[in-house]
Amino acid sequence: MKKYLVVATLASVLLTACSNGGNSGNVSTNAPTGTPTESTQSGSNEKAKEEPIEVSIMTHFHGATPPDKEGPVQKAIEEATNTTLNIQWNSANNYLDKLNVSIASQQLADLVLIPNSVPLDNNVFVQAVKNDIFWDLTPYIEYYPNIKNKIAEVAWDSNKIDGKNYFIPRPRTSESDWFFVFRKDWLDNLGLSVPTTDEELYEVMKAFTYNDPDGNGKDDTTGFTGHMWTGSFGDYKSFESLFTSANGDWKEENGSLVYSAFDEGERKAIEFLKKAYDEGLIIQDFASVTNDQKTAIFTGGKAGVLIYNSATFPTLVDVISQHTPDFDLMDLIPATAINGYTPKSVGFNGGNAIPKTVPEEKMKRILSMINAWMEDDIFAMHSQGIEGIHHTLENGKVVIDTEKVVADGLAEYTQIVFVANEYGNAYREDYPEEAITLFKNIQEERAKVSTAPFVGLASETGSTYLPEVIKDLNDMKIKIILGHEPISSWDALVTKLQNDPKMQQTIKEINESYQGRK
Amino acid sequence: MQMQKDAVLNDNKKMIEPSKKPNKAKKLITDIYREKYLYLLALPGILYFIIFKYAPMYGIIIAFQDYSIFKGVMDSAWVGFDHFQRLFSEEDFYQMLRNTLAISALNICLFFPLPIILSLLLNELRNQIYKRTIQSLVYLPHFLSWVIIASLSVILLGKSDGIVNFVLNELGFKSFDFLTNPNAFWLLITGQAIWKEVGWGTIIFLAAIAGVNTDLYEAARIDGANRLRQTWHVTLPAIRNVIFILLILKLGDVLEAGFEQIFLMYNGAVADVAEVFDTYVYRVGLQQGQFSYSTAVGIFKSAVGLVLVVIANRLTKKFGEEGLY
Amino acid sequence: MKLTTGEKIFNVFNIALLGLVALITLFPVYYVFIVSFTEPSEFVKKTIVIWPEQWSLDAYRYLLSAPTFLRAIGVSAYLATIGTFCSLLLTSSFAYAISRKKFRGRKFILMAVLFTILFSPGIIPNYLLVNSLGLINNLWAVILVSLTSGWYVILMKGFYDSIPDALIEAAAIDGCSDITAWVKIVLPLSLPSIAAFGLFFAVANWNQFFNALLYLNDHEKWPIQVLLQNMLVDASASGVSAADTTVARPASQQLKMAAVITAIAPIVCVYPFLQKHFAKGVMVGSVKG
């Protein structure tokens, strides 16, 4: 056993030595807190003064393989940020387990990803903050222009714990969130226009099901395809929002928040879906299909309505065009707003936190690193790579070798640092002119009426109680749609929940948290 | 050889000093020394279990604490049986218990005998090439993850586009709801498990059958037994202890219900019959970092399994079998 | 040997039944196999492909040429051989020892082993243990953590139970040393179980995934299943990173299925060699009385 203690001690000494290596040669040890230790101009001569520091980053990836640490893009990023990166890539599926054991064994990397879309939903993280595990970054942010300005106000505001920010939110485009998308060619064939009300939506779905929209003489199409998963009503939440006008679980009414499932609109949405299901307008196996399967139904030309996002249209177009000639981007169209509702996204997804085991000077260096990484030309490497290897310049336009970019896994760097492009959810730079104009217009129209969700509100009772509530509500919705239960069961369930003291307590706590934010 | 010499020496010692009562401790030590090779053989195993299985076992006590990963096991507060009380007073507790037991019961009654029967049938094949081919095919589904089986199930059993329903319709029957039908769920789960694991399960029995002394078959044949009686009187008894071991171990898992499989096949329509302890813990416990609660539920499941194993073992011994310990 | 009519009918029935079982269990694997070779465009139109019109090796080309995959396959091969060898050695020696009736304290040990099957403390204590042993980010962490389990020990012991002490003692009396007796008698008799458990350990090691994820920080040390699982399971639909618009395009069905076949292939190749140990009965020198 002694031998193991020696090994363990040696190992921990080595680990701490590595993470403290950055302290050498640092000039401003007596500087007041809050001042950056490094000029934020990338490529300036002052950088030569300081040694690059080794930064360990814990993050996840979704693709087939993570990028190579000896690859040219990583080297370029390291040079621009004056660091040596030790990135611990983890599988996105089991990241939370890894995070938990890392916290439990006090083996956190220097920069840690909190992967939940809304990190404040991660109870372990919130407890960690309360136990002083992570740095309060609030006083430091203003010294790093890219971090401050390129991440939206709403992202910072939505992620405060006790009024402070304990992580850097990963910015995302907030406009043009996933919403109803239609086969424009089918709409044209049937002489229909993009729906703006739920009645029109119903008519479109019906026409897609019964009026042979693809003109092949076969009765092989349906209206809507979508999927759901345990704990979430998935794509079908979009229908609920049309009737409740709420984006997500909470809705503002007269200055306070109410639970959107208790709204009258929710009941109407369930009736809408039930009617649609009975008439065959949504896929019959809506409760069982996987994400892949539901998309395959759309790309296979068997359904005409999907919840999607115009910036990712190429994924659909690539597949549909393989069996439908002349199919291109303009054959898909997103709805602007239905019933006056269109969703706005929160503007962030997850966040990166720095544990307090990292000394203050190094923490500031890490912030500089992120700041430098967020420079446009550095960030561009995530999608373009290096000239000559991943893309070429032809007449001033960038021609990307997509296969090489995918093979090198460059997109995964986006999991660490991202710079949200205002129109990032509407179109991609390489779309044809008319597509760009169209989707840009749609986004601008949406921005006028879009509804943002309420996220990151804290409720102690709710953290253990709400998952059960959501499950019970979703289960009931499915049973009613399938016809196993009558709509009156929904009313009974809602009444029961409204009278449950735990629910009332949760609503009270959520509202307190909401008021605290204002 | 050494064994024999020592044995003889000991016997001699006893003859020379008949009056001295054998010292119990001394006998233990001499016994251990005599079988030293045996204990040496077991030593690595014992060490492994102590280090890798028992050293982390202290983690179980967090079921009786309000465990915080920031304070560690030593400094977390004690709450006694609070977590268990919470579990038992859970509204859906009996539903979860019923679902789990139903799935386990179906598993033991329907699934468990099949690999045995299958391996016996395989054993009866004369043509070795055919036998080997079949053997090499039936175990393959074991390697498909539940994710794949779940999505294949939708392709096969889906209400609108599923192959099975397509065939049923062609034959004039109405579509059957496999996936969102609460009445079919338990059988669906058992069916999937059989499909996936029956072939793999034959391996252990084939190995056991392979160990049967061929002389016994010869003797039975001489006594006039046909193949059926040979199987009944020679093969089955020979693999009986393996069957019992596996059965008892399965009883230890009675409240385990295949989390991944159920999680994937779960949907709102079958919620009432699909909710088992593991899915509940996943939703309420682990996602919220409630390690203590999830450990407590785990202990509850293990405790029930332990009780069943002890009872089963005792019964097995009563029937003259070897048992687990 | 003349067969009765009853036996003849049974044979036919048996052959047909087993053939049917093989077909039913083979179907899902066959489907996965076929999809992995199907040109994606064809797969999109019809979900069920019995025989592809357009064959495509793209998926395999991608998997077998990318250095990351090849390296991961190498790691898995290492785990499957070294790990299996160590597991077999440890488990069989332990199981054999406690199967001998003269092993004092075997009942206690068996109960202790059984306890570990039923009660397990979760990933955090195990991680802390591996951490204190200094094995984080070391491949041996993965090997040691899953070296064996009570289930294997108890089951293997069950096999050894059928080798009576009398057999070994008889050999000893006949003048064989302990070692010779072990080699000439115990080993041949336990070949079927060694083949079976060897297969179990090899498969378990080849499929190592969660432990590798947990204990290995360097993705260069990952075995193949970690990469394959990441492709197969759709993290973007699990709710944690719900609809993260930056998530790279998911792998095609073709690639996913090719990944599955790649994971299965080595075991399928190994199994036939082990099969001869599952032949009916072993010729053993008999013990009278």
Side-chain angles (χ1 to χ4, degrees):
Chain A
M1 220 46 188
K2 249 198 195 153
K3 193 171 170 203
Y4 291 128
L5 280 177
V6 172
V7 173
T9 327
L10 270 174
S12 43
V13 166
L14 278 169
L15 278 171
T16 36
C18 284
S19 59
N20 278 336
N23 273 343
S24 54
N26 213 318
V27 182
S28 45
T29 36
N30 287 325
T33 52
T35 50
T37 57
E38 183 188 323
S39 156
T40 49
Q41 291 168 318
S42 54
S44 70
N45 286 337
E46 291 132 72
K47 267 226 222 68
K49 267 194 246 164
E50 278 172 330
E51 297 264 309
I53 51 165
E54 182 168 333
V55 178
S56 58
I57 302 179
M58 186 173 153
T59 188
H60 67 194
F61 71 103
H62 290 88
T65 57
D68 186 9
K69 71 169 177 240
E70 302 296 330
V73 173
Q74 185 145 336
K75 292 284 168 219
I77 296 176
E78 284 176 343
E79 221 197 283
T81 56
N82 201 18
T83 56
T84 324
L85 298 173
N86 174 7
I87 307 181
Q88 295 169 13
W89 294 101
N90 291 291
S91 164
N93 299 324
N94 302 93
Y95 186 86
L96 283 176
D97 285 321
K98 193 67 185 274
L99 183 61
N100 289 339
V101 294
S102 301
I103 293 180
S105 60
Q106 289 153 2
Q107 293 253 345
L108 289 168
D110 299 327
L111 187 67
V112 179
L113 169 69
I114 313 297
N116 309 61
S117 318
V118 182
L120 298 185
D121 284 345
N122 184 335
N123 206 28
V124 176
F125 175 69
V126 174
Q127 292 305 314
V129 165
K130 300 214 162 119
N131 275 279
D132 211 28
I133 304 280
F134 293 102
W135 278 101
D136 170 13
L137 300 171
T138 335
Y140 303 92
I141 299 167
E142 54 193 80
Y143 296 98
Y144 300 94
N146 282 339
I147 298 182
K148 180 166 194 271
N149 302 329
K150 289 189 181 175
I151 300 180
E153 271 295 313
V154 65
W156 290 111
D157 288 338
S158 311
N159 286 308
K160 291 192 194 297
I161 300 178
D162 295 331
K164 305 192 193 131
N165 285 111
Y166 286 89
F167 59 89
I168 303 176
R170 301 191 305 173
R172 295 286 183 269
T173 315
S174 59
E175 286 300 340
S176 264
D177 201 3
W178 292 46
F179 198 47
F180 290 93
V181 150
F182 303 89
R183 286 279 303 250
K184 180 89 169 47
D185 52 342
W186 287 10
L187 287 174
D188 290 341
N189 286 350
L190 298 173
L192 296 166
S193 49
V194 179
T196 53
T197 66
D198 61 275
E199 289 99 1
E200 286 172 16
L201 176 63
Y202 196 87
E203 285 311 309
V204 167
M205 282 162 57
K206 194 164 183 179
F208 281 178
T209 310
Y210 293 112
N211 298 358
D212 192 23
D214 56 354
N216 64 356
K218 285 195 261 182
D219 180 20
D220 58 357
T221 55
T222 188
F224 182 81
T225 171
H227 85 298
M228 53 180 68
W229 55 89
T230 314
S232 172
F233 210 43
D235 292 331
Y236 298 87
K237 284 203 286 221
S238 303
F239 287 101
E240 295 177 337
S241 298
L242 300 184
F243 295 91
T244 62
S245 309
N247 186 347
D249 291 336
W250 299 100
K251 180 182 170 180
E252 177 160 22
E253 248 173 42
N254 308 323
S256 61
L257 295 178
V258 293
Y259 198 57
S260 58
F262 297 159
D263 188 278
E264 255 294 297
E266 186 86 2
R267 193 182 198 273
K268 292 208 193 100
I270 300 175
E271 289 176 321
F272 179 98
L273 285 170
K274 170 150 185 51
K275 190 153 170 273
Y277 174 78
D278 286 339
E279 291 196 37
L281 311 187
I282 61 178
I283 51 174
Q284 295 289 295
D285 296 307
F286 71 93
S288 318
V289 292
T290 63
N291 192 12
D292 280 347
Q293 287 168 333
K294 77 114 193 273
T295 317
I297 292 176
F298 186 84
T299 54
K302 303 210 192 78
V305 188
L306 186 69
I307 305 292
Y308 220 69
N309 163 304
S310 48
T312 22
F313 275 173
T315 317
L316 300 175
V317 174
D318 284 349
V319 182
I320 301 180
S321 55
Q322 282 167 12
H323 59 80
T324 305
D326 300 324
F327 191 86
D328 63 32
L329 279 173
M330 300 303 286
D331 287 316
L332 291 171
I333 187 150
T336 306
I338 300 185
N339 284 1
Y341 169 85
T342 193
K344 189 180 163 107
S345 108
V346 288
F348 68 92
N349 185 303
N352 288 310
I354 303 178
K356 271 196 150 156
T357 44
V358 175
E360 190 177 353
E361 288 309 309
K362 185 168 183 188
M363 180 266 286
K364 292 194 233 169
R365 289 281 308 260
I366 295 177
L367 292 177
S368 317
M369 170 189 86
I370 298 180
N371 199 56
W373 200 327
M374 285 173 86
E375 287 293 326
D376 286 334
D377 51 346
I378 310 297
F379 171 68
M381 285 196 284
H382 293 188
S383 45
Q384 293 178 240
I386 306 280
E387 189 189 336
I389 306 178
H390 303 105
H391 70 264
T392 50
L393 278 174
E394 285 173 24
N395 303 324
K397 244 199 146 198
V398 173
V399 177
I400 303 177
D401 179 354
T402 15
E403 259 197 53
K404 181 96 177 86
V405 168
V406 168
D408 280 359
L410 299 183
E412 305 297 348
Y413 287 116
T414 301
Q415 296 300 317
I416 307 174
V417 167
F418 186 74
V419 176
N421 168 353
E422 207 190 326
Y423 290 97
N425 281 350
Y427 61 85
R428 279 174 24 173
E429 296 296 325
D430 56 357
Y431 279 10
E433 274 306 312
E434 47 165 3
I436 293 184
T437 320
L438 177 65
F439 298 141
K440 196 169 178 184
N441 278 338
I442 293 181
Q443 171 161 321
E444 282 161 8
E445 288 303 309
R446 284 182 173 183
K448 296 179 188 165
V449 293
S450 57
T451 315
F454 295 98
V455 291
L457 298 166
S459 158
E460 193 159 338
T461 317
S463 67
T464 45
Y465 176 67
L466 279 180
E468 283 300 287
V469 170
I470 293 174
K471 170 190 176 303
D472 288 340
L473 289 171
N474 284 343
D475 288 348
M476 183 57 76
K477 290 177 206 166
I478 295 178
K479 286 184 197 162
I480 295 176
I481 296 175
L482 286 174
H484 298 178
E485 293 271 351
I487 192 75
S488 53
S489 304
W490 174 259
D491 301 323
L493 180 60
V494 168
T495 315
K496 174 169 161 244
L497 287 171
Q498 281 173 320
N499 291 330
D500 187 335
K502 278 203 242 171
M503 188 78 219
Q504 292 161 349
Q505 177 67 13
T506 303
I507 296 180
K508 181 158 160 289
E509 288 172 6
I510 292 278
N511 271 296
E512 278 163 11
S513 170
Y514 179 60
Q515 299 300 333
R517 227 181 239 184
K518 287 195 183 163
Chain B
M1 214 52 227
Q2 189 61 27
M3 257 184 342
Q4 304 307 314
K5 284 192 190 149
D6 283 341
V8 170
L9 261 169
N10 270 337
D11 287 341
N12 285 344
K13 274 204 192 123
K14 283 200 196 121
M15 285 197 295
I16 294 169
E17 305 155 70
S19 52
K20 268 205 179 154
K21 275 208 191 121
N23 188 325
K24 240 189 179 173
K26 203 166 177 201
K27 188 173 192 302
L28 185 66
I29 296 175
T30 32
D31 276 345
I32 292 183
Y33 181 74
R34 183 162 42 159
E35 306 301 339
K36 60 180 178 293
Y37 293 115
L38 225 47
Y39 291 99
L40 237 60
L41 264 185
L43 193 61
I46 295 178
L47 277 178
Y48 178 80
F49 272 81
I50 292 179
I51 299 177
F52 285 90
K53 303 289 178 191
Y54 274 97
M57 201 60 96
Y58 70 89
I60 288 193
I61 59 177
I62 68 172
F64 303 95
Q65 294 178 317
D66 182 15
Y67 176 68
S68 151
I69 57 177
F70 314 104
K71 299 194 192 129
V73 179
M74 291 301 132
D75 295 323
S76 291
W78 290 90
V79 295
F81 284 91
D82 279 3
H83 295 299
F84 295 95
Q85 233 172 324
R86 178 178 163 199
L87 174 64
F88 297 140
S89 55
E90 181 53 50
E91 214 183 305
D92 296 325
F93 175 76
Y94 285 103
Q95 188 186 74
M96 289 190 269
L97 189 64
R98 177 203 66 179
N99 293 341
T100 318
L101 286 175
I103 294 176
S104 277
L106 277 176
N107 200 291
I108 292 181
C109 299
L110 286 183
F111 172 68
F112 188 77
L114 289 179
I116 303 174
I117 299 175
L118 193 59
S119 46
L120 289 173
L121 288 178
L122 275 170
N123 199 39
E124 291 304 314
L125 284 175
R126 300 268 150 141
N127 188 325
Q128 287 304 308
I129 300 178
Y130 189 64
K131 177 181 178 205
R132 286 212 193 173
T133 320
I134 303 284
Q135 260 179 253
S136 308
L137 295 176
V138 290
Y139 75 94
L140 288 175
H142 167 82
F143 295 100
L144 299 180
S145 66
W146 282 116
V147 174
I148 300 191
I149 305 238
S151 82
L152 276 178
S153 299
V154 175
I155 294 176
L156 271 179
L157 303 170
K159 227 167 30 154
S160 43
D161 286 323
I163 300 182
V164 173
N165 276 322
F166 176 73
V167 169
L168 282 176
N169 285 337
E170 291 291 303
L171 294 176
F173 297 105
K174 241 180 60 156
S175 286
F176 186 75
D177 181 6
F178 291 97
L179 303 172
T180 45
N181 184 347
N183 297 322
F185 188 75
W186 292 340
L187 282 172
L188 174 67
I189 293 290
T190 313
Q192 281 180 332
I194 293 177
W195 193 20
K196 184 176 191 280
E197 298 292 345
V198 74
W200 183 255
T202 61
I203 293 181
I204 195 83
F205 295 110
L206 287 172
I209 291 174
V212 175
N213 190 346
T214 42
D215 288 351
L216 294 171
Y217 287 112
E218 205 43 62
R221 234 194 318 267
I222 290 171
D223 281 349
N226 67 3
R227 270 157 60 194
L228 183 62
R229 304 199 94 220
Q230 282 174 44
T231 311
W232 186 258
H233 288 286
V234 179
T235 321
L236 264 184
I239 64 174
R240 209 161 55 186
N241 75 327
V242 172
I243 294 180
F244 274 107
I245 291 176
L246 286 173
L247 187 59
I248 300 178
L249 286 176
K250 224 185 175 83
L251 283 172
D253 273 348
V254 73
L255 288 187
E256 296 289 334
F259 170 68
E260 203 185 344
Q261 178 193 15
I262 295 186
F263 183 76
L264 288 165
M265 300 308 297
Y266 181 99
N267 58 67
V270 296
D272 296 334
V273 288
E275 182 78 330
V276 291
F277 292 109
D278 289 332
T279 50
Y280 166 70
V281 162
Y282 177 80
R283 189 175 60 248
V284 171
L286 295 171
Q287 297 245 283
Q288 298 301 319
Q290 303 214 308
F291 306 106
S292 279
Y293 191 49
S294 36
T295 310
V297 176
I299 290 193
F300 165 67
K301 290 192 307 184
S302 306
V304 172
L306 180 64
V307 167
L308 283 180
V309 165
V310 169
I311 296 177
N313 203 51
R314 207 161 283 185
L315 280 174
T316 328
K317 286 206 152 150
K318 248 199 194 123
F319 283 103
E321 289 297 326
E322 185 70 31
L324 283 191
Y325 57 83
Chain C
M1 248 193 332
K2 279 244 291 242
L3 293 173
T4 66
T5 333
E7 288 190 347
K8 282 201 202 118
I9 296 177
F10 170 75
N11 278 346
V12 171
F13 170 74
N14 198 23
I15 293 174
L17 176 66
L18 289 177
L20 186 65
V21 169
L23 278 176
I24 295 179
T25 48
L26 180 62
F27 173 68
V29 184
Y30 173 79
Y31 177 76
V32 169
F33 183 78
I34 287 294
V35 171
S36 71
F37 286 105
T38 310
E39 187 67 47
S41 54
E42 186 189 334
F43 180 71
V44 165
K45 249 307 188 178
K46 30 182 175 150
T47 344
I48 315 291
V49 180
I50 304 294
W51 192 259
E53 276 161 40
Q54 286 167 281
W55 290 77
S56 156
L57 286 174
D58 284 348
Y60 288 101
R61 214 174 288 140
Y62 174 66
L63 281 179
L64 297 174
S65 61
T68 29
F69 282 108
L70 291 175
R71 184 175 52 214
I73 290 180
V75 172
S76 290
Y78 178 81
L79 284 178
T81 44
I82 306 285
T84 304
F85 178 72
C86 295
S87 295
L88 265 179
L89 205 58
L90 184 80
T91 316
S92 57
S93 54
F94 193 32
Y96 173 71
I98 57 179
S99 69
R100 300 298 102 197
K101 299 242 180 354
K102 42 190 177 176
F103 189 102
R104 296 283 230 109
R106 70 196 274 263
K107 186 164 172 171
F108 171 74
I109 291 187
L110 280 166
M111 290 200 288
V113 166
L114 178 64
F115 191 80
T116 66
I117 301 180
L118 294 168
F119 290 87
S120 112
I123 57 175
I124 293 185
N126 278 303
Y127 189 85
L128 292 175
L129 171 74
V130 172
N131 194 23
S132 63
L133 291 174
L135 286 174
I136 298 291
N137 210 24
N138 188 327
L139 209 50
W140 278 97
V142 178
I143 295 180
L144 285 175
V145 160
S146 51
L147 201 58
T148 189
S149 80
W151 195 86
Y152 291 115
V153 171
I154 291 192
L155 203 51
M156 212 169 186
K157 171 226 169 233
F159 273 81
Y160 280 121
D161 278 342
S162 61
I163 302 179
D165 280 329
L167 208 57
I168 302 174
E169 264 155 42
I173 289 173
D174 280 354
C176 291
S177 71
D178 276 338
I179 307 290
T180 330
W182 202 79
V183 170
K184 280 223 166 105
I185 300 193
V186 177
L187 217 49
L189 280 178
S190 51
L191 268 181
S193 70
I194 290 186
F197 286 94
L199 183 63
F200 294 156
F201 286 130
V203 168
N205 275 312
W206 180 260
N207 287 341
Q208 283 277 29
F209 142 74
F210 187 70
N211 285 330
L213 265 180
L214 208 56
Y215 298 113
L216 298 174
N217 291 332
D218 264 338
H219 64 267
E220 278 127 22
K221 295 189 181 159
W222 282 350
I224 191 71
Q225 279 295 359
V226 175
L227 296 174
L228 297 183
Q229 286 294 326
N230 204 48
M231 276 202 287
L232 274 177
V233 183
D234 210 341
S236 59
S238 67
V240 169
S241 45
D244 183 359
T245 45
T246 60
V247 169
R249 236 161 101 171
S252 69
Q253 275 297 94
Q254 189 198 21
L255 190 57
K256 289 187 188 181
M257 297 298 124
V260 174
I261 298 293
T262 316
I264 300 181
I267 310 291
V268 173
C269 297
V270 165
Y271 187 65
F273 296 102
L274 295 171
Q275 268 195 333
K276 57 175 186 248
H277 297 294
F278 301 148
K280 178 175 182 167
V282 175
M283 286 299 275
V284 173
S286 43
V287 175
K288 304 282 190 280

